Structures are given as C-alpha cells and as structure tokens.
C-alpha cells in the first residue's frame, strides 16, 4: 500500500550530513524531512487521496506492532525496513539508466517525486505552508518532543541543552513551552547563542571558555546539577558530560543526537547509584501519523514559531551550496524548494 508524492519542500538535516561523511550505501536518494502533495495512491490505500497535503515520516506508524499499540512507545517495527534501503518487499521504486537506486529512511525527499508507504505519510491542514511545516517531519518534532514527551520537563525546572543546531533549538522551545525557569545552551559556536536566546534560552556557555570540564561548570552554576539535560550532538563524550551534569538524585538526561552505530559510551557507573536517569528519544516520542497532523494544526494556531529555525532557503538544484552552508556552522536549517 504505497503512495506517490510530489515533494514541495525538504529540509537538509544533520543526519544527511553524517551519511555523507560515513559514505553509506550508494547510489541513494537521500532526504527525510519533507512535505508535499499526494500525486497518486496504490491499491489498498484508504487514508490518502490525490491532492492531499502531506508530511513524510522517516518513522512510520503501522498501528499494529507492539510499539504502536503501547501508549508510551513510538518506535514502530516498520522503521527497521529502512535499514535495507529498499521498500518492504525488497525492491526499489527508483531507477537510473535501468539500474536500481536505493531509498533512504522510508522517504527519499531529495527528488521531485518519491514513493512512500501509506504508514509513512501524514495528511495535514490544506492551508499549511509546506516550506515551513516540512521541519515538523523531523527536526522540530524530534527536539520539541524530546523535552515535552521523553524528558517530561516540569514547570520551574532547570535545563541544559548540548548542541544548538536546529534540533537543539527545538529542544529549547520545548523546555520553554513546558515552563522551565532556566534553560542553559551549551555549544562551542558562540554565533548560535543569539538565536538560542531568541527561542528561549536564558543563558549560553561555551566549554572552551572554562578550564574545568563542562559538567563541573554546570554543577557549579546550578548548585546541584540540572534537572533535565539533552545531548543533541551525537558525540559519546558529550553524552557522558551531559549525564554527569544532571542532578544526582532526580536528574534526567536524554540522548537526542544520532550516535554512530556501534559507538560505546564510557560512563562512570557510580553516577547511576543515586537515581539519575539516562534515556534515548526517537522523533521526540511522538506517534508519527497521529501526532504530526496535530503539530501542524498547533503551528497554524500559532502555538509555536518555526521561522527562527529556517536560516536559508534555496532551490533543490542548489543542494551542494546547502551542504556547504551546513558545514560552516552558520546554517540552522536550509529548506530546499522544488
């Protein structure tokens, strides 16, 4: 049960940057943060029709697996199909000069047209600006939900966010929405501090400005450690530092950044003794199909603003320039228009 969609807008996410660096499976059509319009639907598709505005979902929601039926889970078993870089039937829907081209993350949005499973598409408000809400396909939802759903940030609490890219800023927005009283942004790139404060950070610090480890700095700043800490970089050393920054008895650390497969964490086991919690988060804990449409409606109701996250807008044929912008550290999110 698949659909063909015309992509209208797609964001360049840090995940693609990591795949480029790691030299993944090629040839492949990358891209997973997209929004578009349904062009046609296959046999058995019942929830979508041609002309519907939709958002692509790298994390599907089949509605039937153990994760989907668990109210506290969202890691649909169908996500694992994306690891094969093919559709669930073991074939590719893309070809070039007669040879197959691999799919990416259930979506492949760096193309004018793509093919997706019905469970990897969410219908959204027909009035939604796709060049904005495409960020709800990954970056915004992942960060915002990590604070709201995974960490369950409490009113009046103190939070720290390691990494102030698009997802990190979205975490800050989630912490603010949850009522956190103090939100500390942590990044070595001070050019990101102004934007972080714009979306809700109360202060920002760079580890390079201190002689002592950043976890000791944060404990000193807060008196006992932060109550909620988020690692949004995907660096195992920073995960350890973020966890050590948490309050010893009730601190919660959430890994949001994508760690390379097989990477081992080196964390002092004693840190767990008094009650700290370390947990992961995928897509911000949202059940994708049922939550994305609601998030788009919340955006349309002006419950949050996506504009601060978009620093560059280019056409898809300028994608190499977008990659260069990302590498400079001056780009939060670049949206590519088709």
């Amino acid at each position: 049960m698949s659909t063909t969609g015309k992509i209208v807008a797609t964001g360049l996410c840090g995940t693609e940057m990591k795949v480029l660096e790691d030299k993944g499976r090629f040839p492949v059509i990358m891209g997973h943060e997209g929004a578009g319009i349904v062009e046609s639907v296959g046999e058995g598709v019942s929830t979508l029709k041609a002309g519907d505005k939709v958002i692509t979902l790298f994390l599907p929601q089949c509605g039937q697996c153990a994760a989907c039926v668990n109210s506290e889970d969202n890691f649909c078993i169908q996500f694992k199909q994306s690891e094969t870089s093919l559709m669930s039937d073991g074939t590719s829907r893309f070809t070039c000069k007669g040879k197959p081209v691999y799919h990416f993350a259930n979506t492949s949005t760096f193309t004018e047209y793509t093919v997706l499973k019905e469970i990897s598409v969410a219908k959204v408000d027909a009035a939604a600006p796709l060049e904005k809400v495409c960020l709800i396909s990954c970056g915004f939802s992942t960060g915002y939900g990590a604070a709201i759903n995974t960490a369950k940030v409490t009113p009046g609490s103190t939070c720290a966010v390691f990494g102030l890219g698009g997802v990190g800023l979205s975490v800050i927005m989630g912490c603010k929405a949850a009522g956190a009283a103090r939100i500390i942004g942590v990044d070595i790139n001070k050019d990101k501090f102004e934007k972080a404060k714009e979306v809700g950070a109360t202060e920002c610090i760079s580890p390079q400005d201190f002689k002592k480890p950043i976890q000791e700095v944060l404990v000193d700043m807060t008196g006992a450690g932060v109550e909620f800490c988020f690692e949004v970089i995907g660096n195992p050393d920073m995960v350890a530092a973020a966890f050590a920054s948490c309050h010893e008895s009730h601190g919660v650390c959430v890994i949001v950044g994508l760690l390379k497969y097989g990477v081992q964490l080196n964390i002092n086991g004693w840190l767990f003794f008094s009650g700290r919690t370390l947990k992961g988060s995928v897509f911000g804990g949202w059940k994708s199909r049922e939550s994305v449409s609601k998030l788009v409606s919340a955006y349309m109701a002006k419950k949050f603003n996506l504009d601060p996250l978009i620093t560059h807008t280019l056409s898809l044929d300028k994608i190499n320039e977008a990659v260069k912008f990302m590498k400079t550290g001056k780009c939060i999110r670049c949206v590519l228009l088709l």
Side-chain angles (χ1 to χ4, degrees), residues 35-288:
I37 300 172
V38 174
E39 186 81 6
S40 62
V41 299
E43 184 178 351
V45 174
S46 61
T47 60
L48 301 165
K49 65 181 186 303
D52 284 345
K53 277 190 176 182
V54 294
I55 282 181
T56 62
L57 306 171
F58 75 89
L59 180 66
Q61 185 183 353
C62 74
Q64 300 175 340
C65 70
C68 284
V69 299
N70 186 316
S71 62
E72 298 299 316
D73 197 352
N74 72 330
F75 195 63
C76 178
I77 191 68
Q78 292 292 324
F79 174 79
K80 294 182 179 180
Q81 293 294 342
S82 67
E83 296 174 2
T84 67
S85 301
L86 297 168
M87 297 292 278
S88 58
D89 60 3
T91 65
S92 171
R93 297 296 189 271
F94 302 121
T95 59
C96 181
K97 298 180 180 179
K99 296 183 179 181
V101 176
Y102 291 116
H103 292 249
F104 181 77
N106 291 307
T107 50
S108 293
T109 59
F110 292 166
T111 175
E112 187 177 359
Y113 293 94
T114 191
V115 181
L116 306 96
K117 291 182 181 180
E118 182 179 14
I119 59 174
S120 295
V121 181
K123 181 180 177 180
V124 299
D125 190 324
L130 298 183
E131 71 279 7
K132 305 286 187 183
V133 299
C134 63
L135 270 62
I136 293 175
S137 176
C138 177
F140 173 77
S141 302
T142 295
Y144 192 79
I148 300 290
N149 300 324
T150 310
K152 294 180 171 55
V153 171
T154 53
S157 60
T158 299
C159 304
V161 181
F162 283 61
L164 302 178
V167 179
L169 295 181
S170 299
V171 172
I172 291 174
M173 293 166 71
C175 292
K176 182 179 180 180
R182 191 177 183 187
I183 306 171
I184 306 168
V186 182
D187 202 298
I188 60 174
N189 185 350
K190 294 183 179 180
D191 290 340
K192 296 181 178 180
F193 289 179
E194 182 179 352
K195 181 75 71 171
K197 291 178 180 178
E198 178 186 338
V199 299
T202 55
E203 57 209 288
C204 296
I205 58 175
S206 168
Q208 296 179 336
D209 288 343
F210 304 92
K211 293 182 179 180
K212 62 174 65 175
I214 192 62
Q215 56 265 39
E216 293 182 21
V217 174
L218 286 166
V219 170
D220 288 345
M221 289 175 64
T222 57
V226 298
E227 290 160 282
F228 301 96
C229 196
F230 303 84
E231 200 281 350
V232 202
I233 304 167
N235 181 309
D237 293 334
M238 289 299 98
V239 171
F243 186 55
S245 303
C246 289
H247 191 284
E248 64 180 1
S249 64
H250 58 270
V252 176
C253 181
V254 180
I255 302 174
V256 187
L258 180 65
L259 292 164
K260 290 184 180 180
Y261 180 79
V263 164
Q264 301 296 307
L265 298 178
N266 184 11
I267 296 176
N268 185 342
W270 184 257
L271 294 177
F272 289 95
F273 175 74
S274 53
R276 290 180 180 88
T277 301
L278 177 64
K279 57 200 308 187
S281 179
V282 60
F283 196 56
W286 304 105
K287 286 187 179 293
S288 56

